[in-house]
Each structure stands twice: as structure tokens, then as C-alpha cells.
């Protein structure tokens, strides 16, 4: 039987309403962080309240909270710490999480800043401290452990990004590396302790000494740091605040943040041919 334009249009509208309802319902049932709010502005070392919406997860046993720097990758591994390995009176949480550093790929152990259950106020939340050394965008990860009876537990994840700013003023900037920095090799001998090549991309660890005595990482451009290379035919600055070896020679890297400035002399002596994987 042929459908009229009106009936087709009504069915289309009904389908759209059903899809919107399903999306809204799914969103309402999702485990999510309510406080602190997404993109809120916090202070380094500030005590804030953590609050979550457990959604349609009645079997939640506990929720763990972790702070991550914006340059750290998402959770890659989770394992329990054996209770007998903890010293008496230790306040270390039950689990540790291993994110990967975005550039080096090395594992970073992150311990929970808060472990909460249903008896807390608010339930599965509570007071926690923003890391004192935090600056710029920080990610807060909440991990809910949900009981599955004999099957053990499963995890639900929720994450937000907040902006953290220290109240103290920046006193000075420092490069946590050799000065001057020597990059390269002579033949097959790693004369500078590492093997570098044309095209290699790396980061420079830059920290700021603040008036409150805390040293904070300011390598990321999102912390307000700006870079300049006096010779981009030697070291080129990439948009992410990384550096790329493009030639041999000398250059001076200048970094500026909050009205402060620091410089680092760099000498590059690498093989002219780009490094290639072995055959």
C-alpha cells in the first residue's frame, strides 16, 4: 500500500524523536564527573569537591580519582598493588595506573588522589587536592569499580579537563638539561651519550621556579610558554613545542613565559644522512 507524504513525514519525525530519546537516555545513564565542572578554572594546590553521577550503575563499589597532565596519554594499564608490599600505615591507594608519556613513551606511575565509596559525602566523591605542581590544562580521571558478582569487577571511566593556574608569580625559568646541550655522534661512537640523527624530534624539559618555592613544568605551549630558535636550519620548532634536528651547527633556544626568559646554547653534530631502520 502506498504511503502518503504526510505519513512518511510523520514516521521520519517519530524516528528522529526516538533517536533523540535514546541518545538522551544513554547520556542520562552514563557515569560522569559533575564536580569540578568541565573547563573550570582552578588554583594549584586548591582543595575541591569531587562529585560523580553514577548513572545506571548500581553495582559501583568505589570510585578512584587521578590527575593527569595534558601531555600524558590515556590509561594504558591498571594493576593492583599487593597489600603485603605496602609499608605499615601507608596511605597509598589500592591501585596504580600507568599512563604513557606522549613523547618518550615511558610509563608514569599515577596513584589515586582520592578513593571513595557510597558511605562518603557526597557518595563516591569527597574532598581532594589539585596537585601543587599543576599548571595549565589538567585532566581528571574517575574510575568506577563495578561489581559483577562471581565474574569479579569491571571499570567505567569518566574524564574532564580543567585549567589550573598557580597564584604565585613566576620567578625564573630553567632548562633541566646539560648546558650547553650537545646533540650528535661521530661515526658510530655516541660521543654525547646518545645517538641523534637528522629528522629526530624531541622535547626540552623546561621548568619554572615560582615564588611559592614550587617548581612547575612549563614545556607545554598551553602554559604560556613561547620558543624561539636563533637558527632554524639547525633546530626547528614544531607547533606542539617540540624540536626537530634539521642540520648541523649551533643555535640558541630562547624560552619566554610570564615576562621571564631563559636561553640554552645547542650544538648539533649528526650524520648528514637521516637515520633509517635496520634491514
Amino acid at each position: 500500500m502506498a504511503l502518503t507524504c504526510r505519513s512518511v513525514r510523520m514516521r521520519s519525525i517519530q524516528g528522529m524523536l526516538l533517536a533523540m530519546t535514546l541518545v538522551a537516555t544513554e547520556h542520562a545513564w552514563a557515569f560522569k564527573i559533575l564536580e569540578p565542572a568541565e573547563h573550570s578554572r582552578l588554583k594549584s594546590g586548591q582543595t575541591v569537591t569531587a562529585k560523580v553521577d553514577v548513572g545506571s550503575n548500581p553495582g559501583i563499589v568505589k570510585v578512584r580519582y587521578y590527575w593527569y597532565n595534558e601531555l600524558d596519554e590515556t590509561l594504558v594499564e591498571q594493576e593492583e598493588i599487593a597489600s603485603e608490599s605496602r609499608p605499615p600505615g601507608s596511605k597509598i591507594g589500592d591501585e596504580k595506573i600507568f599512563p604513557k608519556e606522549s613523547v618518550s613513551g615511558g610509563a608514569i606511575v599515577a596513584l589515586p588522589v582520592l578513593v571513595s565509596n557510597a558511605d562518603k559525602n557526597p557518595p563516591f566523591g569527597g574532598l581532594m587536592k589539585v596537585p601543587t605542581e599543576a599548571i595549565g590544562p589538567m585532566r581528571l580521571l574517575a574510575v568506577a569499580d563495578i561489581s559483577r558478582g562471581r565474574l569479579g569487577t569491571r571499570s567505567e571511566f569518566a574524564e574532564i579537563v580543567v585549567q589550573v593556574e598557580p597564584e604565585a608569580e613566576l620567578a625564573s625559568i630553567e632548562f633541566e638539561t646539560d648546558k650547553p646541550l650537545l646533540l650528535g655522534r661521530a661515526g658510530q661512537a655516541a660521543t654525547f651519550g646518545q645517538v641523534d640523527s637528522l629528522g629526530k624530534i624531541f622535547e626540552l624539559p623546561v621548568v619554572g621556579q615560582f615564588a611559592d618555592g614550587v617548581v612547575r613544568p612549563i614545556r607545554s605551549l598551553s602554559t604560556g610558554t613561547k620558543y624561539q630558535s636563533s637558527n632554524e636550519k639547525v633546530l626547528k620548532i614544531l607547533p606542539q613545542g617540540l624540536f626537530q634536528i634539521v642540520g648541523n651547527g649551533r643555535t640558541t633556544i630562547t624560552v619566554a613565559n610570564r615576562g621571564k626568559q631563559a636561553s640554552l646554547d645547542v650544538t648539533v653534530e649528526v650524520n648528514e644522512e637521516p637515520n633509517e631502520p635496520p634491514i
Side-chain angles (χ1 to χ4, degrees):
M1 183 175 67
L3 296 175
T4 64
C5 291
R6 178 182 176 85
S7 62
V8 171
R9 187 162 56 248
M10 286 299 295
R11 290 192 180 186
S12 177
I13 293 174
Q14 289 173 353
M16 292 174 60
L17 291 175
L18 177 60
M20 292 173 63
T21 302
L22 290 175
V23 171
T25 302
E26 181 181 354
H27 181 71
W29 288 354
F31 172 69
K32 58 185 177 181
I33 300 174
L34 299 179
E35 295 181 19
E38 177 88 14
H39 304 307
S40 58
R41 293 185 174 274
L42 307 177
K43 296 294 183 181
S44 303
Q46 176 184 356
T47 299
V48 297
T49 299
K51 184 177 180 181
V52 294
D53 181 355
V54 298
S56 60
N57 297 299
I60 291 183
V61 178
K62 63 182 175 182
V63 176
R64 293 169 280 124
Y65 297 85
Y66 301 84
W67 286 109
Y68 289 88
N69 186 278
E70 63 157 341
L71 297 179
D72 295 338
E73 291 185 3
T74 327
L75 171 68
V76 295
E77 184 180 355
Q78 174 183 331
E79 72 176 23
E80 293 187 359
I81 301 176
S83 57
E84 60 269 16
S85 66
R86 292 199 298 263
S90 173
K91 295 183 179 179
I92 292 179
D94 297 326
E95 291 83 12
K96 56 183 178 179
I97 280 183
F98 298 89
K100 280 186 178 178
E101 192 178 36
S102 59
V103 177
S104 68
I108 304 171
V109 177
L111 297 174
V113 293
L114 173 65
V115 180
S116 184
N117 54 37
D119 297 331
K120 303 298 182 179
N121 184 24
F124 302 107
L127 297 178
M128 65 179 181
K129 191 175 181 180
V130 178
T132 305
E133 69 279 4
I135 183 172
M138 293 289 293
R139 305 190 309 180
L140 176 63
L141 174 69
V143 182
D145 293 335
I146 304 172
S147 174
R148 301 173 61 194
R150 296 180 182 179
L151 299 177
T153 60
R154 67 179 180 88
S155 297
E156 279 291 325
F157 302 89
E159 186 179 81
I160 63 169
V161 177
V162 299
Q163 186 72 25
V164 180
E165 184 69 18
E167 291 185 323
E169 294 184 358
L170 177 62
S172 62
I173 298 175
E174 187 65 54
F175 291 91
E176 290 189 324
T177 183
D178 295 336
K179 304 175 187 67
L181 179 61
L182 306 176
L183 302 174
R185 65 182 181 179
Q188 297 299 316
T191 56
F192 303 137
Q194 61 191 64
V195 177
D196 297 302
S197 60
L198 291 180
K200 178 180 178 179
I201 296 175
F202 65 98
E203 65 177 6
L204 284 178
V206 182
V207 298
Q209 178 73 50
F210 286 76
D212 58 0
V214 178
V215 176
R216 296 181 172 91
I218 58 172
R219 183 191 73 78
S220 173
L221 301 180
S222 59
T223 64
T225 295
K226 296 181 179 179
Y227 295 95
Q228 183 177 358
S229 174
S230 65
N231 187 354
E232 290 219 335
K233 293 183 178 180
V234 175
L235 283 184
K236 181 180 179 181
I237 301 174
L238 303 181
Q240 302 86 355
L242 301 175
F243 297 84
Q244 184 174 27
I245 298 176
V246 293
N248 289 319
R250 296 182 179 180
T251 185
T252 299
I253 300 299
T254 302
V255 57
N257 190 312
R258 292 168 169 78
K260 303 298 180 180
Q261 185 172 297
S263 297
L264 175 69
D265 293 329
V266 182
T267 298
V268 178
E269 296 179 3
V270 299
N271 289 343
E272 294 294 339
E273 295 295 328
N275 190 29
E276 295 182 357
I279 299 175

